[in-house]
Amino acid sequence: MAASECALDEATYELAVPALARAGRIDAARKMFDEMRKREGIGRASAGVYGVLVDVMAKAGRLDAAMGMYREMVAVGHRASPAVSTALVEGLVRAGKLDAGMELWDEMRRGGLRPSFGLYTMVVEANARSGRLDVATQLFGDMEKSGFFPTPATYACLVEMHASAGQVDAAMRLYHSMANAGTRPGLSTFTALLMMLANKRMLDLAAKVLLEMKASGFPIEVTASDLLMIYIKDGSTELALRWLRFMGSAGIRTNNFIIRQLFESCMKTGMYDSARPLLETYVAGLAKVDLILYTSILAHLVRCQDEGSERAIMDILSASKHKAHDFMCGLFTGPEQRKKPVLSFVREFFQGIDYENEESAARYFVNVLLNYLVLMGQMNRARCIWKVAYENKLFAKAIVFDQHIAWSLDVRNLSVGAALVATVHTMHRFRKRMLYYGVVPRRIKLVTGPTLKMVVAQVLASLESPFEVSKVVLRAPGDSVLEWFKKPIVQQFLLNEIPSKADVLMHRLNVMFPSSAPEVRSLSIPRSLGMSR
């Protein structure tokens, strides 16, 4: 027809343009539409043609072209049908152009068009997910007034978004409205509500919702434990204990990992009366109290200043059933009860450690234990612990002998107590090498780091040592150290390496570490390093 210069009439254009558009040939339809507008004698395109082009381009994702066609349609005096407006709003919202979609929505409403149920649902959920909760709530109310019954997905979206925003009143109002409408909340809705209530510390309301979740047929053990972890991580130990009691009353069990977390939280906050039953539950649940957990309890004992609390912590140590506690009790008894010297007893304990899996835990234990022994004035026992720990290569790089050039001790990675014990014991080793074997290095270094520098320096200064203090190192010439080792006060300080059988325990230690000794005398043991508790 074009080759024979036979022009299409208006009716043919009206049939061809929509047919090409619906067949997916949008570019051809648009080209023919442009021809139609330029052809003389043909009036404006009908609303139907405009509507089909807007609808097809919107659904094809050509939103800019669809919006241009829509504006042209309105400009020439046509009124868009609900289907066309709906297709364009849906296209804009799905493409994430919510502002443009809502602008067209408002224009459509002002024109008197009534949105469909599907469009209402899409716009409400899109605004909710975008955080525009006030708009979403208003649209939700309009939707209900228009006679549309919201779907479970719409209810769930609104409840979950309000819960994520921490809007308790709005979320709970929608939740109750959802239940009254006979719509069953899903797992994600219950979870979002419970997380919000937990974060807001509304424990009683959370318990009520959790039981409703159970009544709806959902498993609740994991969710209840997740809420318990929220309280623990938030530092709300009292609330965590209340929630655990509620779980117990409702027959909900949690796992040993969470029990351990709550136990450690109780220890940090000094709630020792609550901590012991938790540890007993942990042990009764066949969970393993490892050396790290036992040592962390011992660390609380080291820092404790109250005698009543010390007794409570000792009860907790006993409840751990860990072999390290038997070792601790034996360490503080006399040789008659141990049936062997302290050094042999300590070596036997350290031989039973699985160094492949527990090496770092053993180092942690030694550091904390040496802190405790130094505070108790038990330097001889402390030196035995350090000696055996070093023999077992727990601190293999701490002592370095570079023949006649330099000897050094590195205590940077040790606790204060361990650093002091290591210094005393290593000075004793250096003294033996110098006096008995005649080996004198050019210099001796104590690498302390900035934290332990003054502690070690203060101990050595009390003995008039030749060590000079720099930023992170104490150093002295080998000859000066040799002369210092010959002083009687230094000999007295360094020589007593292993406790003798005549050692008598302090009354306090026997109270805290019960033994079968028939008679305990209370003596004040001199504290070698002059440290006050």
Side-chain angles (χ1 to χ4, degrees):
M1 289 177 70
S4 62
E5 298 181 356
C6 180
L8 296 177
D9 60 12
E10 184 176 349
T12 308
Y13 275 118
E14 292 279 350
L15 287 173
V17 172
L20 284 169
R22 291 194 184 98
R25 299 181 63 181
I26 299 175
D27 292 334
R30 183 65 188 266
K31 181 179 179 182
M32 185 171 285
F33 179 76
D34 291 338
E35 287 179 9
M36 177 183 178
R37 286 187 302 178
K38 295 175 183 177
R39 184 66 54 85
E40 293 182 7
I42 297 179
R44 67 179 184 179
S46 67
V49 174
Y50 274 110
V52 171
L53 287 173
V54 172
D55 181 67
V56 170
M57 285 190 288
K59 289 177 179 175
R62 299 188 181 186
L63 297 174
D64 292 337
M67 278 299 295
M69 188 66 67
Y70 173 79
R71 294 301 177 198
E72 182 181 326
M73 176 183 181
V74 173
V76 298
H78 292 309
R79 185 166 179 258
S81 68
V84 171
S85 299
T86 298
L88 192 51
V89 173
E90 285 183 355
L92 291 168
V93 171
R94 283 201 181 96
K97 298 182 178 183
L98 188 57
D99 289 333
M102 291 308 298
E103 183 181 341
L104 187 59
W105 166 276
D106 292 335
E107 185 179 317
M108 182 177 75
R109 296 302 306 274
R110 286 194 298 271
L113 293 178
R114 183 173 181 264
S116 66
F117 169 72
L119 186 58
Y120 254 126
T121 300
M122 173 181 286
V123 172
V124 169
E125 293 182 10
N127 277 280
R129 292 194 178 94
S130 298
R132 303 178 181 184
L133 297 178
D134 293 339
V135 176
T137 303
Q138 181 182 348
L139 290 170
F140 182 77
D142 294 342
M143 180 181 180
E144 289 184 313
K145 290 175 184 176
S146 298
F148 294 125
F149 186 78
T151 65
T154 304
Y155 267 120
C157 178
L158 284 170
V159 173
E160 291 169 22
M161 291 302 106
H162 279 90
S164 298
Q167 298 183 6
V168 178
D169 292 340
M172 292 305 299
R173 186 167 58 251
L174 285 163
Y175 168 71
H176 292 306
S177 174
M178 186 178 188
N180 293 334
T183 302
R184 179 175 174 236
L187 181 61
S188 61
T189 304
F190 275 119
T191 302
L193 273 176
L194 288 167
M195 292 301 171
M196 172 192 69
L197 295 172
N199 287 319
K200 294 291 184 179
R201 303 185 180 185
M202 302 177 74
L203 188 145
D204 294 334
L205 189 55
K208 180 175 180 294
V209 173
L210 186 74
L211 293 177
E212 290 173 359
M213 178 180 173
K214 182 180 181 181
S216 297
F218 292 107
I220 60 173
E221 285 76 11
V222 173
T223 305
S225 295
D226 289 343
L227 265 61
L228 183 56
M229 278 302 297
I230 289 176
Y231 293 128
I232 295 171
K233 289 180 178 178
D234 192 41
S236 306
T237 309
E238 288 278 5
L239 285 178
L241 290 168
R242 279 181 57 197
W243 185 256
L244 184 64
R245 286 194 292 270
F246 157 71
M247 289 175 63
S249 65
I252 307 168
R253 297 186 62 183
T254 188
N255 57 60
N256 285 324
F257 172 79
I258 295 179
I259 292 293
R260 176 167 175 166
Q261 295 293 313
L262 183 53
F263 165 75
E264 292 177 354
S265 180
C266 287
M267 293 297 294
K268 288 177 184 176
T269 53
M271 301 172 65
Y272 304 123
D273 291 339
S274 300
R276 180 172 178 176
L278 288 170
L279 187 63
E280 290 173 342
T281 302
Y282 185 74
V283 173
L286 302 179
K288 180 185 178 183
V289 176
D290 53 26
L291 189 56
I292 288 180
L293 181 57
Y294 182 86
T295 306
S296 70
I297 304 171
L298 183 61
H300 285 285
L301 182 63
V302 173
R303 294 190 294 267
C304 186
Q305 299 292 328
D306 174 67
E307 188 170 348
S309 297
E310 285 181 344
R311 292 177 182 273
I313 296 173
M314 282 306 304
D315 288 340
I316 294 170
L317 285 169
S318 177
S320 70
K321 308 294 184 184
H322 195 276
K323 62 182 181 180
H325 190 67
D326 296 332
F327 167 72
M328 292 279 287
C329 292
L331 188 64
F332 287 107
T333 57
E336 294 79 9
Q337 286 73 44
R338 274 196 312 269
K339 309 298 184 185
K340 62 186 69 173
V342 172
L343 191 59
S344 301
F345 181 70
V346 172
R347 280 184 174 137
E348 183 179 291
F349 171 75
F350 277 87
Q351 285 169 0
I353 294 175
D354 179 5
Y355 289 98
E356 185 174 343
N357 298 317
E358 291 189 305
E359 184 174 345
S360 60
R363 277 196 291 269
Y364 177 38
F365 177 67
V366 169
N367 272 306
V368 174
L369 178 56
L370 290 179
N371 263 347
Y372 184 63
L373 292 173
V374 169
L375 287 172
M376 292 291 101
Q378 297 292 303
M379 277 301 295
N380 288 330
R381 286 175 171 79
R383 291 174 68 172
C384 285
I385 298 292
W386 172 260
K387 179 182 178 68
V388 175
Y390 187 76
E391 287 174 354
N392 285 275
K393 296 183 172 55
L394 286 176
F395 306 97
K397 298 180 180 179
I399 303 173
V400 176
F401 292 103
D402 190 4
Q403 298 300 327
H404 296 276
I405 301 173
W407 296 350
S408 66
L409 168 67
D410 190 339
V411 299
R412 286 175 295 181
N413 296 321
L414 303 181
S415 65
V416 174
L420 294 173
V421 174
T423 300
V424 174
H425 185 77
T426 306
M427 287 295 105
H428 175 62
R429 289 189 63 187
F430 288 173
R431 180 180 181 277
K432 286 175 67 174
R433 283 205 171 203
M434 288 184 176
L435 296 182
Y436 299 140
Y437 304 113
V439 180
V440 180
R442 293 180 191 173
R443 60 185 179 275
I444 292 179
K445 293 193 305 181
L446 302 177
V447 185
T448 61
T451 307
L452 296 170
K453 176 178 65 178
M454 297 313 298
V455 178
V456 176
Q458 186 178 1
V459 172
L460 296 178
S462 65
L463 302 171
E464 301 176 354
S465 79
F467 286 91
E468 295 180 357
V469 182
S470 66
K471 289 184 178 180
V472 294
V473 176
L474 280 69
R475 56 165 59 87
D479 294 337
S480 301
V481 176
L482 177 62
E483 294 303 316
W484 179 62
F485 280 151
K486 294 177 181 178
K487 293 182 179 181
I489 188 174
V490 179
Q491 295 179 29
Q492 183 181 2
F493 183 69
L494 298 177
L495 279 178
N496 187 16
E497 182 176 6
I498 302 175
S500 67
K501 293 184 179 181
D503 282 343
V504 180
L505 300 177
M506 288 191 299
H507 173 68
R508 182 180 180 195
L509 291 179
N510 275 276
V511 170
M512 296 174 69
F513 292 91
S515 68
S516 58
E519 180 181 357
V520 177
R521 290 183 295 163
S522 178
L523 294 178
S524 178
I525 297 179
R527 302 195 175 187
S528 306
L529 301 176
M531 296 183 63
S532 59
R533 179 74 189 246

